[in-house]
């Protein structure tokens, strides 16, 4: 690590030197070091690169400035390339409004210190905080360009899951329900996009984006998040490619980075360095292939998400001693991947198929994403028998759990929520009647509401439904609405199936519905 020169508070040097490294920008609970609002410059090179701007690095959720320095060669590369750099600590678990205000105030200080505009290099939620600072707190006057590395511009469905009825209690037990994760729910971020992208100051600063498509192999730290997000499209284990895009930004590259590696200097700096010079054009339009006939706002996200799949079954609860969960697997399923997540590493998990064959976890690992601190127990079964499967769990203490089953099946793209119905404040499911017997569909629906990250969720609806009848959404006022559906039914060849559907919307103070 190269030498750092601090701009204001010398005592921060001691804090920084003895603190443990923090994971960067992953969506979940962390233990970041650094006092919010403190910023410092990197070592000044002997000759600052001609025509360059100072680079300001902004960390993500539950992280700190150390993410750019510890186990990352970004600061070494920028120094060797003769760039003047600065690093800032924001609030690790606050929303984009609080962090945007803080960052705006500090960018003014940096502007006065450097005597010129800066370029922001942001990772994960840091890109959302940066745009809040520029658009809603007038910091655009201090910033020349913004580069975002896997920023959830349209939110993350993992944040939706953390606030669902299946997982919300687990997230709360391990400390992952906070203002930041609440603000990253896709419904709320749709609202943020609307009021941000319609602001006339939006066009004053060019944005350059990166996205990742790698979430590792079975048993890896980002695999579970990637598996869950796969129903919404390509992703890096925490953020989908669709969410990493801005319809008015320039997408530099989407490649096989995961959510952690995308911020490493050797991974992306050579690709965005050409955009750091004053000689470069201020902005380039997003490729036409990414634009839809819809309104410009969030168009790229909606284009990709329109092809989402129903490939997940989710269950959750609490038990003492032992419990069991049963689910159906339809014929023709290529693979099932089961993930049992709880607060204990030594849970005893056994999965039994219709043929009485037993399976136990082949991988156990600690979560490093949205549910940081929980443990995953994973089982993969190729060519599973169709019929009823049962999971048995035992632990000598009271255990809270979230069970996810992912299906590789042709049935996945034959069922989805009607998003136009959601806009009209009602819930309806679309199915392919050539593969699914519509009159066999039944299940449970839960709709929850919360105004913001500080208010407790309230349940608006909990009822059973049959034959996919239209279900109205009760209006509780401005806030986030979670629509959670457990669905079961029969295929046209009389095989039982089960799936879970989860979406969020945001209703603003005028009653307008914002959906992903």
């Amino acid at each position: 690590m190269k030498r750092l020169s601090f701009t204001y508070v010398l005592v921060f040097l001691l804090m920084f030197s003895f603190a443990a490294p923090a994971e960067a920008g992953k969506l979940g609970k962390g233990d970041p070091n650094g006092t919010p609002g403190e910023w410092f410059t990197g070592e000044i090179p002997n000759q600052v690169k001609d025509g360059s701007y100072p680079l300001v690095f902004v960390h993500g959720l539950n992280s700190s400035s150390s993410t750019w320095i510890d186990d990352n060669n970004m600061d070494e590369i920028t120094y060797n390339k003769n760039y003047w750099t600065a690093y800032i600590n924001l609030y690790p678990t606050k929303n984009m409004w609080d962090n945007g205000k803080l960052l705006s105030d500090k960018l003014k200080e940096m502007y006065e210190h450097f005597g010129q505009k800066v370029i922001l290099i942001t990772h994960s939620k840091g890109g959302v905080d940066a745009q809040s600072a520029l658009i809603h707190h007038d910091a655009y006057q201090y910033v020349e360009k913004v580069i975002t590395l896997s920023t959830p511009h349209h939110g993350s469905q993992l944040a939706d899951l953390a606030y669902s009825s299946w997982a919300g209690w687990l997230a709360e037990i391990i400390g992952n329900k906070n203002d930041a994760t609440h603000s990253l729910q896709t419904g709320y971020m749709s609202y943020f996009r609307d009021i941000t992208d319609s602001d006339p100051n939006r066009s004053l600063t060019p944005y350059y984006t990166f996205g990742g498509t790698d979430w590792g192999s079975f048993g890896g730290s980002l695999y579970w998040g990637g598996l869950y997000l796969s129903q919404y499209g390509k992703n890096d284990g925490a953020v989908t490619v669709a969410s990493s895009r801005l319809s008015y930004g320039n997408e530099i590259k989407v490649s096989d980075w995961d959510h952690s590696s995308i911020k490493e200097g050797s991974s992306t700096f050579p690709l965005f360095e050409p955009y750091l010079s004053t000689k470069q054009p201020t902005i380039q339009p997003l490729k036409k292939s990414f634009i839809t006939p819809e309104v410009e706002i969030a168009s790229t996200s909606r284009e990709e998400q329109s092809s989402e799949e129903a490939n997940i079954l989710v269950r959750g609860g609490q038990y003492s001693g032992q419990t069991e969960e049963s689910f159906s697997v339809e014929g023709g399923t290529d693979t099932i991947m089961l993930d049992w997540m709880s607060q204990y590493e030594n849970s005893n998990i056994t999965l039994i198929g219709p043929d009485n064959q037993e399976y136990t976890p082949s991988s156990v690992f600690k979560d490093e994403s949205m549910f940081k601190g929980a443990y995953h127990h994973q089982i993969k079964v190729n060519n599973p028998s169709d019929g009823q499967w049962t999971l048995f769990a035992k632990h000598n203490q009271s255990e809270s759990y979230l069970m996810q089953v992912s299906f590789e099946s042709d049935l996945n793209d034959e069922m989805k929520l009607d998003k136009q119905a959601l806009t009209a404040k009602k819930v309806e499911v679309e199915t392919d009647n050539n593969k699914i017997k519509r009159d066999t569909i039944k299940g449970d629906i839960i709709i929850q509401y919360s105004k913001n990250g500080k208010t407790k969720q309230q349940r608006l609806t909990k009822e059973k439904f049959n034959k996919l009848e239209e279900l109205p959404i009760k209006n509780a006022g401005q806030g986030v609405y979670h629509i959670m559906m457990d669905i079961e039914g029969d295929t046209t060849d009389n095989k039982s199936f089960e799936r879970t559907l989860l979406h969020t919307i945001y209703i603003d103070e005028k009653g307008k519905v914002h959906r992903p």
Side-chain angles (χ1 to χ4, degrees):
M1 182 178 75
K2 65 181 174 64
R3 188 171 68 254
L4 303 171
S5 57
F6 290 81
T7 309
Y8 292 107
V9 186
L10 182 60
V11 70
F12 180 63
L13 178 61
L14 298 176
M15 296 172 61
F16 185 83
S17 299
F18 294 98
E23 280 289 48
K26 294 182 182 179
L27 302 174
K29 183 182 179 184
D31 185 26
N33 56 335
T35 301
E38 287 184 322
W39 63 275
F40 55 95
T41 62
E43 185 178 1
I44 303 174
N46 294 329
Q47 183 176 358
V48 176
K49 189 178 183 68
D50 183 45
S52 67
Y53 295 91
L55 308 181
V56 176
F57 290 87
V58 184
H59 64 80
L61 177 64
N62 287 298
S63 184
S64 74
S65 57
S66 65
T67 191
W68 302 104
I69 300 162
D70 296 341
D71 299 319
N72 190 344
N73 58 3
M74 183 68 80
D75 68 321
E76 298 288 346
I77 290 177
T78 53
Y79 174 76
N80 291 332
K81 291 281 188 175
N82 296 320
Y83 288 94
W84 204 353
T85 57
Y87 305 84
I88 186 169
N89 291 300
L90 300 180
Y91 298 111
T93 58
K94 288 194 176 183
N95 59 37
M96 72 285 285
W97 308 115
D98 293 331
N99 273 346
K101 176 62 170 63
L102 178 63
L103 180 59
S104 178
D105 292 343
K106 299 306 172 180
L107 285 173
K108 181 180 180 181
E109 292 179 6
M110 295 180 194
Y111 178 78
E112 294 171 349
H113 174 80
F114 290 116
Q116 65 181 120
K117 287 186 176 182
V118 301
I119 293 177
L120 299 184
I121 314 297
T122 68
H123 178 232
S124 195
K125 180 177 173 288
V128 178
D129 295 337
Q131 194 167 35
S132 174
L134 268 62
I135 303 301
H136 301 290
H137 299 284
D138 298 327
Y140 62 87
Q141 56 193 310
Y142 314 124
V143 177
E144 179 68 18
K145 302 173 185 177
V146 179
I147 294 171
T148 66
L149 307 174
S150 192
T151 286
H153 292 293
H154 306 275
S156 173
Q157 290 82 1
L158 289 178
D160 297 347
L161 181 61
Y163 275 81
S164 71
S165 64
W166 305 294
W169 44 264
L170 177 58
E172 192 164 1
I173 286 173
I174 57 180
N176 291 330
K177 295 182 75 172
N178 52 54
D179 291 351
T181 53
H182 188 275
S183 70
L184 286 177
Q185 294 174 94
T186 58
Y188 189 84
M189 282 301 298
S190 179
Y191 164 71
F192 178 78
R193 289 262 60 87
D194 195 354
I195 62 175
T196 300
D197 297 349
S198 60
D199 192 293
N201 290 335
R202 184 210 77 186
S203 61
L204 298 179
T205 310
Y207 291 84
Y208 300 86
T209 68
F210 286 80
T213 60
D214 183 33
W215 29 281
S217 58
F218 183 78
S221 61
L222 288 167
Y223 185 83
W224 173 81
L227 192 63
Y228 182 83
L229 291 175
S230 65
Q231 62 186 308
Y232 302 103
K234 295 179 179 179
N235 68 88
D236 65 359
V239 175
T240 64
V241 170
S243 188
S244 73
R245 290 171 169 161
L246 285 172
S247 61
Y248 49 84
N250 179 66
E251 184 173 75
I252 299 179
K253 191 168 186 178
V254 171
S255 190
D256 57 350
W257 301 294
D258 64 32
H259 196 66
S260 181
S261 65
I262 198 169
K263 64 174 170 53
E264 295 172 1
S266 54
S267 295
T268 49
F269 181 82
L271 297 171
F272 66 72
E273 186 184 14
Y275 298 85
L276 303 179
S277 170
T278 55
K279 299 178 182 179
Q280 293 300 316
T282 57
I283 193 168
Q284 299 176 23
L286 193 67
K287 296 180 179 65
K288 291 183 179 180
S289 60
F290 298 152
I291 302 297
T292 72
E294 298 184 49
V295 179
E296 184 184 24
I297 297 173
S299 61
T300 56
S301 177
R302 292 182 181 179
E303 177 185 0
E304 283 213 354
Q305 292 189 19
S306 64
S307 61
E308 65 190 43
E309 298 182 342
N311 67 336
I312 297 292
L313 171 69
V314 180
R315 300 274 175 79
Q318 295 174 293
Y319 74 94
S320 295
Q322 61 183 20
T323 191
E324 64 181 72
E325 289 280 3
S326 297
F327 58 92
S328 297
V329 175
E330 71 271 13
T333 300
D334 295 326
T335 304
I336 59 171
M337 286 170 280
L338 184 144
D339 183 281
W340 178 273
M341 180 168 50
S342 74
Q343 70 267 46
Y344 299 120
E345 183 178 11
N346 60 342
S347 302
N348 190 315
I349 307 298
T350 303
L351 179 65
I352 300 179
D355 54 2
N356 290 320
Q357 186 171 348
E358 295 188 2
Y359 304 85
T360 57
S362 59
S363 174
V364 178
F365 64 93
K366 198 170 185 178
D367 192 88
E368 295 294 338
S369 186
M370 178 61 71
F371 294 88
K372 190 178 180 81
Y375 289 91
H376 295 269
H377 305 75
Q378 295 189 332
I379 299 172
K380 183 176 182 179
V381 182
N382 295 319
N383 302 313
S385 302
D386 60 272
Q388 194 82 352
W389 288 69
T390 304
L391 181 142
F392 295 91
K394 296 180 181 179
H395 201 277
N396 57 12
Q397 294 179 275
S398 178
E399 181 173 50
S400 303
Y401 67 91
L402 175 68
M403 185 187 80
Q404 171 187 303
V405 183
S406 174
F407 301 84
E408 288 187 4
S409 168
D410 291 339
L411 199 67
N412 291 347
D413 59 356
E414 308 305 333
M415 180 171 51
K416 63 190 67 176
L417 284 183
D418 183 342
K419 291 191 174 182
Q420 293 303 323
L422 290 177
T423 304
K425 301 180 185 178
K426 58 186 180 180
V427 182
E428 191 169 4
V429 178
E430 299 176 332
T431 63
D432 182 351
N433 294 333
N434 292 323
K435 295 186 178 181
I436 296 174
K437 291 183 177 180
R438 187 178 178 88
D439 60 357
T440 67
I441 295 293
K442 59 182 180 180
D444 299 293
I445 181 171
I446 295 176
I447 301 177
Q448 293 184 158
Y449 160 84
S450 62
K451 186 173 183 179
N452 55 49
K454 298 180 177 65
T455 59
K456 186 175 181 180
Q457 286 178 298
Q458 58 176 294
R459 184 166 291 178
L460 301 180
T461 302
K462 182 180 181 181
E463 58 185 271
K464 294 186 178 296
F465 62 89
N466 290 286
K467 300 181 182 178
L468 304 181
E469 67 263 27
E470 189 177 286
L471 301 165
I473 300 175
K474 298 176 183 178
N475 192 341
Q478 181 182 3
V480 178
Y481 293 73
H482 293 77
I483 298 97
M484 297 154 282
M485 304 184 76
D486 286 315
I487 298 175
E488 58 182 273
D490 295 334
T491 63
T492 52
D493 57 356
N494 297 315
K495 300 295 184 181
S496 296
F497 70 90
E498 295 182 65
R499 292 294 192 276
T500 294
L501 299 178
L502 168 63
H503 282 266
T504 66
I505 61 172
Y506 186 84
I507 298 180
D508 65 21
E509 69 279 3
K510 297 180 181 179
K512 179 181 178 180
V513 176
H514 302 264
R515 63 168 179 83

